[in-house]
Amino acid sequence: MKAWEKNIRTIKHPYVAGYQPKDYSVTKLNANENPYPPAPGVVKAMEEFETSSLRLYPALNADELIDEIAHFKQVKPSQVFVGVGSDDVIGMCFLTYFNSGKPILFPDITYSFYDVWADLYRIPYECPKLDEKFHIKKEDYYKDNGGIIFANPNAPTSIAVGLDFIRDVLEHNQDVIVIVDEAYIDFGGESAVSLLEEYDNLVVVQTFSKSRSLAGLRVGYCIASEELIQALNTVKFSYNSYTMNMLAIKLGAESVKDTEYFYQTIDKIIATRTWSKEQLEQLGFTCMDSSTNFLFATHKSMAAKEIFEKLQERKIYVRHFDKERIDNYLRITIGTDQQMEQLVNALKEILPDEKNING
Ligand code: PMP
C-alpha cells in the first residue's frame, strides 16, 4: 500500500445511479425521467440562446431563475436556493445543516443517496425501519437527533404522507433542521411549502428533473426561511460560486413560466399511471399506492430480479434494487402510453400463464 493511499477519502458504498444506455431506442423506465419533452418555451429559448454570451460568467445569484421560482411558489426570492439538480441542493444541505455530531434520521428504505452524503461528510445517522407496509412511523422521529430528512412521496416506495405527519415531525423536532425532499410531489401528495411560514427549521427541496422534463439540464432548488437560505449560500459560495450555468438559469426560468404545459404533462402521467397500475394488477402484480411518476410493484409468483432481466433482454429497462426488504420489487417509471403498452405486452410474454398464477 502506498503511503498516500490512507489519505484518500473512501466511500464504502458510493451511490449507484440507474443505468443510462447509450442506445436511445430502448424503452427507458428506470430513472424516473419524464417521457415528454420540456415546455415549448424552453425549446424556443434554447434555439434563441446567444452562444457568444458563453464567454462570460453566468449571473452569480441566478436571479432570473430564482425570481421565477419564488413567484410560482409565492415566497420571497431570498427564500430560494438553486443547485445543480436537487442532488446538489441536498448535498449542500447536509454540509450546511447537519453539524451537531448527533445522528441524523431517515428511513431504512428511501432515496439511496442520503447515507452516501452522510458517509461523505462524516455525519452519523440512524435509519428507523418503515413498517411492513412501507409506511413511515412518526414515533421513530421523536428521539433526540441531529436533523431529519425524508422524501415525500418516498422513493422507491412511491407512498406519500400527509401534512399532518410532517407537522407532527416538525412539532417534535424544533431544535434541528427537517428536510422534506419533494422530488415527486407534483405527481401527488401535499407540498410542505405551505408550512414554511410556521416553521423556520423546515427545508423543502424540489427538482426540475421529473415534472419539468429537465433531468439533463440539472436544476433543483429548496425553499426555507431567509436565515437558512443565507446559511446555504455562505457554504456554497465557499465551495463553488458559479454552480448554475447560463442555460440552466435561462431555460429553467422559461420552464417555470409555462404553467399550462406543466399541469398538462403531469395530468397525462397520472392518467397513464392509473392505467398501468390496473394492467399490472391484472397480471398478478401488487403495486403500492403511487403519488409519483413511478410504480413500486411486486409479483405474486415470479421473482422481481428475473422479471427485470427478462425485460432487459427485450430492451425494456426498469429498476431493481438488490437491497434487503425490497429485492422482490421493481420500480417502474411511468412512460408514454405507448411505452407502457409495450411493457405490459412484454410482461404478458414473460410471466407464467395467468391460469397458473391464480391456480
Ligand atoms: N430525491 C429523490 C427522492 C430522487 O429520487 C432523486 C432522483 N434520483 C433526487 C432527489 C435527485 O434528483 P435530481 O438531482 O435530478 O434533482
Side-chain angles (χ1 to χ4, degrees):
M1 186 180 171
K2 294 186 184 111
W4 45 259
E5 277 181 35
K6 64 179 185 313
N7 299 339
I8 290 178
R9 190 180 285 260
T10 47
I11 305 289
K12 266 183 279 153
H13 305 289
Y15 177 69
V16 185
Y19 176 58
Q20 294 289 12
K22 290 209 176 68
D23 177 0
Y24 281 110
S25 71
V26 305
T27 302
K28 194 169 180 307
L29 307 174
N30 71 340
N32 297 341
E33 291 143 326
N34 197 311
Y36 300 107
V42 174
V43 180
K44 187 163 174 276
M46 178 93 179
E47 281 162 7
E48 289 171 0
F49 184 75
E50 215 34 88
T51 317
S52 62
S53 64
L54 286 176
R55 68 190 179 78
L56 300 171
Y57 280 105
L60 192 57
N61 299 322
D63 344 35
E64 192 183 347
L65 175 60
I66 285 186
D67 288 352
E68 286 301 335
I69 295 171
H71 177 70
F72 183 63
K73 293 288 177 186
Q74 297 187 325
V75 295
K76 292 188 219 144
S78 51
Q79 288 183 270
V80 180
F81 174 86
V82 288
V84 185
S86 53
D87 279 344
D88 181 38
V89 175
I90 302 169
M92 275 291 147
C93 287
F94 271 55
L95 190 58
T96 310
Y97 303 136
F98 294 157
N99 288 295
S100 69
K102 289 183 193 170
I104 61 163
L105 305 178
F106 50 86
D108 64 335
I109 308 294
T110 190
Y111 185 33
S112 51
F113 223 137
Y114 300 156
D115 55 347
V116 178
W117 283 308
D119 280 339
L120 177 66
Y121 296 130
R122 299 182 180 155
I123 300 163
Y125 60 94
E126 283 173 21
C127 299
K129 274 186 162 25
L130 296 179
D131 73 14
E132 69 286 353
K133 290 191 169 146
F134 296 129
H135 289 130
I136 188 165
K137 292 175 283 173
K138 56 180 192 266
E139 307 77 36
D140 288 342
Y141 297 84
Y142 291 175
K143 59 163 123 171
D144 194 30
N145 64 72
I148 292 173
I149 178 162
F150 59 90
N152 188 41
N154 197 11
T157 64
S158 77
I159 299 170
V161 291
L163 285 188
D164 48 340
F165 172 93
I166 298 171
R167 192 184 281 283
D168 187 83
V169 169
L170 284 160
E171 285 295 327
H172 284 87
N173 291 281
Q174 302 198 15
D175 296 335
V176 294
I177 305 300
V178 176
I179 304 175
V180 184
D181 176 356
E182 295 191 337
Y184 301 101
I185 197 74
D186 295 325
F187 302 103
E190 294 169 281
S191 172
V193 167
S194 62
L195 299 179
L196 285 164
E197 267 184 27
E198 285 169 74
Y199 299 96
D200 61 5
N201 59 329
L202 168 65
V203 180
V204 181
V205 186
Q206 296 196 0
T207 179
F208 283 42
S209 299
K210 318 292 176 184
S211 51
R212 296 192 175 278
S213 309
L214 286 171
L217 193 65
R218 311 303 299 127
V219 179
Y221 62 101
C222 69
I223 307 180
S225 64
E226 288 181 301
E227 200 183 342
L228 288 187
I229 295 301
Q230 206 188 332
L232 262 185
N233 274 320
T234 309
V235 172
K236 171 232 157 106
F237 285 126
S238 313
Y239 179 72
N240 179 4
S241 356
Y242 293 107
T243 48
M244 306 310 288
N245 67 63
M246 277 181 192
L247 266 179
I249 295 170
K250 179 81 201 145
L251 305 189
E254 289 303 324
S255 161
V256 184
K257 282 184 204 161
D258 200 336
T259 44
E260 200 182 319
Y261 182 83
F262 173 67
Y263 291 118
Q264 263 172 14
T265 312
I266 290 169
D267 285 349
K268 270 204 275 191
I269 290 175
I270 293 175
T272 310
R273 179 178 77 198
T274 308
W275 180 85
S276 308
K277 186 168 186 275
E278 279 166 18
Q279 295 293 313
L280 291 185
E281 283 170 351
Q282 278 173 25
L283 291 172
F285 282 94
T286 305
C287 302
M288 302 286 133
D289 262 336
S290 173
S291 298
T292 62
N293 66 336
F294 59 88
L295 290 171
F296 196 52
T298 186
H299 194 262
K300 58 178 164 187
S301 61
M302 194 179 229
K305 186 139 195 248
E306 196 181 345
I307 304 174
F308 166 80
E309 282 161 1
K310 295 213 154 125
L311 283 173
Q312 194 160 310
E313 284 165 19
R314 290 161 172 80
K315 288 195 169 189
I316 299 174
Y317 291 81
V318 297
R319 189 94 201 250
H320 173 254
F321 297 92
D322 237 333
K323 183 179 158 117
E324 209 185 320
R325 295 187 77 194
I326 56 168
D327 55 359
N328 203 23
Y329 283 81
L330 294 174
R331 191 196 70 186
I332 305 170
T333 303
I334 303 300
T336 58
D337 288 342
Q338 196 200 0
Q339 285 176 316
M340 300 318 278
E341 277 164 25
Q342 203 189 338
L343 171 83
V344 169
N345 289 338
L347 287 170
K348 283 181 183 158
E349 278 173 35
I350 292 167
L351 293 168
D353 205 312
E354 189 65 4
K355 291 191 287 299
N356 299 339
I357 297 172
N358 294 327

